[in-house]
Amino acid sequence: MKKQNIRVFLRVALLMAVMLTMFTIVGCGKPAGGSQAEPVELTVLAAASLTDVCNEIGERYEAEHENVKLNFSYGSSGALQTQIEEGAPADIFMSAAMKQMTALDEEGLMDSDSIIQLLENKIVLVVPAGSDTDLSSFEEVVTDKVSMIGLGEPESVPVGQYSEEVFTTLNLLDAVKAKANYGSDVRTVLSWVETGEVDCGIVYATDAYTTEQVKIVAEAPEGSCKRVIYPAGVVKNSAHTEEAAAFVEYLQTEEILALFESYGFSRME
């Protein structure tokens, strides 16, 4: 009788040990609390000229990272800089010029180690696709061929700053200002040219490639302005620094760099 009791006891003990082991294995396979990890939302402040390519990048990234949701906010780099300075929620900043990124970094608002020079663009002069003007150079903007030119606001829009550099180099800035209509970002300038509200405009080459309603008539003369470099980096106050850094790394993968090139951007050399 005692032997039977011992056998029963051993069987029960063995069963309990097996069950305990199974619970331990299952528990180790789940995050704390027994539920799936909470989804992460990243806010990406990106220059307006990155709108089309970043929308596609966002779709790809979310398909590959089911736990991450990307929220893109587009605008002029200067306006986005101001948002970060004023404490607006942001995880990643993608600028159309080094000026805004450098300013934020010097103010201690960026993770300095995360900042990369990602892409390069070109400054171009465009006219409406149906225009019969024979405008063919930046120098000709000051002639009677042009009554109004669309430019980015130089205080906050990088393409406007590059434009002023070009015309300053050509000693034409004052004459151009007399004909200028200033837009809040590069896509506004592009839309004016598309609809014929201005005779011509200065945008990035990548913007011109997004539409058949404008045509490029000239690139900015060599050496007339700084290189158009697009940096990216993690905002220091990001609540998700690891996930934000992972996205910046993703932007540098061969697949995504090739995608940028398909939209007209150049890789940094």
mmCIF file of all heavy atoms in Angstrom, residues 7 21 37 39 50 69 78 91 104 149 160 172 182 191 201 206 213 218 224:
data_model
loop_
_atom_site.group_PDB
_atom_site.id
_atom_site.type_symbol
_atom_site.label_atom_id
_atom_site.label_comp_id
_atom_site.label_asym_id
_atom_site.label_seq_id
_atom_site.Cartn_x
_atom_site.Cartn_y
_atom_site.Cartn_z
ATOM 1 N N ARG A 7 4.251 5.563 -5.593
ATOM 2 C CA ARG A 7 4.163 5.660 -7.051
ATOM 3 C C ARG A 7 3.239 6.814 -7.463
ATOM 4 O O ARG A 7 3.533 7.569 -8.391
ATOM 5 C CB ARG A 7 3.635 4.345 -7.636
ATOM 6 C CG ARG A 7 4.621 3.184 -7.529
ATOM 7 C CD ARG A 7 4.173 2.048 -8.425
ATOM 8 N NE ARG A 7 4.941 0.833 -8.196
ATOM 9 C CZ ARG A 7 4.554 -0.161 -7.422
ATOM 10 N NH1 ARG A 7 3.381 -0.107 -6.793
ATOM 11 N NH2 ARG A 7 5.325 -1.232 -7.263
ATOM 12 N N THR A 21 7.518 23.315 -16.358
ATOM 13 C CA THR A 21 8.477 23.552 -17.441
ATOM 14 C C THR A 21 7.792 24.166 -18.654
ATOM 15 O O THR A 21 8.299 25.103 -19.279
ATOM 16 C CB THR A 21 9.152 22.242 -17.857
ATOM 17 O OG1 THR A 21 9.839 21.692 -16.722
ATOM 18 C CG2 THR A 21 10.164 22.474 -18.983
ATOM 19 N N ALA A 37 4.263 43.020 -27.871
ATOM 20 C CA ALA A 37 4.870 44.324 -27.627
ATOM 21 C C ALA A 37 3.975 45.435 -28.158
ATOM 22 O O ALA A 37 3.323 45.287 -29.179
ATOM 23 C CB ALA A 37 6.242 44.390 -28.292
ATOM 24 N N PRO A 39 2.838 48.639 -30.091
ATOM 25 C CA PRO A 39 3.313 49.244 -31.337
ATOM 26 C C PRO A 39 3.964 50.598 -31.070
ATOM 27 O O PRO A 39 3.596 51.302 -30.132
ATOM 28 C CB PRO A 39 2.036 49.394 -32.165
ATOM 29 C CG PRO A 39 0.934 49.406 -31.166
ATOM 30 C CD PRO A 39 1.382 48.516 -30.055
ATOM 31 N N LEU A 50 10.813 65.698 -50.253
ATOM 32 C CA LEU A 50 10.938 64.258 -50.009
ATOM 33 C C LEU A 50 9.580 63.558 -49.962
ATOM 34 O O LEU A 50 9.513 62.351 -49.737
ATOM 35 C CB LEU A 50 11.670 64.018 -48.684
ATOM 36 C CG LEU A 50 13.150 64.384 -48.644
ATOM 37 C CD1 LEU A 50 13.646 64.431 -47.197
ATOM 38 C CD2 LEU A 50 13.978 63.388 -49.450
ATOM 39 N N LYS A 69 4.765 52.236 -36.737
ATOM 40 C CA LYS A 69 3.907 53.090 -37.537
ATOM 41 C C LYS A 69 4.652 54.401 -37.783
ATOM 42 O O LYS A 69 5.104 55.051 -36.839
ATOM 43 C CB LYS A 69 2.579 53.359 -36.816
ATOM 44 C CG LYS A 69 1.723 54.462 -37.432
ATOM 45 C CD LYS A 69 1.156 54.068 -38.772
ATOM 46 C CE LYS A 69 0.215 55.149 -39.300
ATOM 47 N NZ LYS A 69 -0.247 54.850 -40.672
ATOM 48 N N GLY A 78 13.016 74.948 -42.806
ATOM 49 C CA GLY A 78 13.051 75.976 -41.778
ATOM 50 C C GLY A 78 11.857 75.898 -40.846
ATOM 51 O O GLY A 78 11.989 76.053 -39.629
ATOM 52 N N ASP A 91 10.641 62.477 -33.863
ATOM 53 C CA ASP A 91 11.648 61.439 -33.647
ATOM 54 C C ASP A 91 12.801 61.537 -34.637
ATOM 55 O O ASP A 91 13.952 61.253 -34.290
ATOM 56 C CB ASP A 91 10.994 60.049 -33.756
ATOM 57 C CG ASP A 91 9.903 59.857 -32.719
ATOM 58 O OD1 ASP A 91 10.247 59.731 -31.533
ATOM 59 O OD2 ASP A 91 8.725 59.868 -33.091
ATOM 60 N N LEU A 104 20.125 72.996 -35.389
ATOM 61 C CA LEU A 104 19.495 72.184 -34.347
ATOM 62 C C LEU A 104 20.535 71.412 -33.535
ATOM 63 O O LEU A 104 20.417 71.280 -32.315
ATOM 64 C CB LEU A 104 18.494 71.210 -34.974
ATOM 65 C CG LEU A 104 17.207 71.827 -35.524
ATOM 66 C CD1 LEU A 104 16.391 70.780 -36.272
ATOM 67 C CD2 LEU A 104 16.371 72.444 -34.404
ATOM 68 N N ILE A 149 8.743 85.314 -61.352
ATOM 69 C CA ILE A 149 9.432 84.057 -61.070
ATOM 70 C C ILE A 149 9.027 83.569 -59.685
ATOM 71 O O ILE A 149 8.901 84.355 -58.744
ATOM 72 C CB ILE A 149 10.967 84.228 -61.162
ATOM 73 C CG1 ILE A 149 11.672 82.898 -60.823
ATOM 74 C CG2 ILE A 149 11.466 85.340 -60.251
ATOM 75 C CD1 ILE A 149 13.167 82.923 -61.053
ATOM 76 N N GLY A 160 14.904 78.362 -51.593
ATOM 77 C CA GLY A 160 14.966 79.804 -51.712
ATOM 78 C C GLY A 160 16.347 80.340 -51.360
ATOM 79 O O GLY A 160 16.847 81.290 -51.986
ATOM 80 N N LEU A 172 22.810 89.164 -59.954
ATOM 81 C CA LEU A 172 21.477 89.452 -60.483
ATOM 82 C C LEU A 172 20.397 89.496 -59.406
ATOM 83 O O LEU A 172 19.212 89.636 -59.711
ATOM 84 C CB LEU A 172 21.086 88.388 -61.525
ATOM 85 C CG LEU A 172 21.974 88.256 -62.763
ATOM 86 C CD1 LEU A 172 21.525 87.056 -63.595
ATOM 87 C CD2 LEU A 172 21.928 89.531 -63.596
ATOM 88 N N TYR A 182 7.160 84.708 -53.608
ATOM 89 C CA TYR A 182 7.792 83.757 -52.701
ATOM 90 C C TYR A 182 6.792 82.741 -52.128
ATOM 91 O O TYR A 182 5.718 83.121 -51.646
ATOM 92 C CB TYR A 182 8.486 84.492 -51.554
ATOM 93 C CG TYR A 182 9.676 85.307 -52.012
ATOM 94 C CD1 TYR A 182 9.571 86.689 -52.177
ATOM 95 C CD2 TYR A 182 10.893 84.698 -52.286
ATOM 96 C CE1 TYR A 182 10.661 87.440 -52.597
ATOM 97 C CE2 TYR A 182 11.990 85.445 -52.711
ATOM 98 C CZ TYR A 182 11.870 86.806 -52.870
ATOM 99 O OH TYR A 182 12.941 87.554 -53.306
ATOM 100 N N SER A 191 3.863 74.136 -57.884
ATOM 101 C CA SER A 191 2.446 74.219 -58.286
ATOM 102 C C SER A 191 2.173 75.504 -59.061
ATOM 103 O O SER A 191 1.364 75.516 -59.989
ATOM 104 C CB SER A 191 1.532 74.120 -57.065
ATOM 105 O OG SER A 191 1.638 75.275 -56.245
ATOM 106 N N GLY A 201 10.137 79.125 -62.394
ATOM 107 C CA GLY A 201 10.387 78.945 -60.969
ATOM 108 C C GLY A 201 11.651 78.154 -60.758
ATOM 109 O O GLY A 201 12.150 77.490 -61.675
ATOM 110 N N THR A 206 14.452 66.892 -58.411
ATOM 111 C CA THR A 206 13.553 65.794 -58.039
ATOM 112 C C THR A 206 12.092 66.222 -58.066
ATOM 113 O O THR A 206 11.215 65.418 -58.360
ATOM 114 C CB THR A 206 13.905 65.259 -56.648
ATOM 115 O OG1 THR A 206 13.957 66.352 -55.722
ATOM 116 C CG2 THR A 206 15.252 64.546 -56.663
ATOM 117 N N GLN A 213 3.914 68.505 -66.015
ATOM 118 C CA GLN A 213 3.364 69.840 -66.273
ATOM 119 C C GLN A 213 4.425 70.938 -66.258
ATOM 120 O O GLN A 213 4.107 72.105 -66.454
ATOM 121 C CB GLN A 213 2.264 70.151 -65.262
ATOM 122 C CG GLN A 213 1.048 69.246 -65.402
ATOM 123 C CD GLN A 213 0.008 69.517 -64.347
ATOM 124 O OE1 GLN A 213 0.022 68.973 -63.249
ATOM 125 N NE2 GLN A 213 -0.913 70.406 -64.680
ATOM 126 N N ALA A 218 17.150 74.686 -67.389
ATOM 127 C CA ALA A 218 18.562 74.891 -67.043
ATOM 128 C C ALA A 218 18.842 74.394 -65.635
ATOM 129 O O ALA A 218 17.957 74.402 -64.764
ATOM 130 C CB ALA A 218 18.931 76.368 -67.147
ATOM 131 N N SER A 224 27.785 77.897 -58.456
ATOM 132 C CA SER A 224 27.033 79.112 -58.120
ATOM 133 C C SER A 224 26.343 79.029 -56.760
ATOM 134 O O SER A 224 25.880 80.042 -56.226
ATOM 135 C CB SER A 224 25.993 79.420 -59.203
ATOM 136 O OG SER A 224 25.058 78.361 -59.328
#
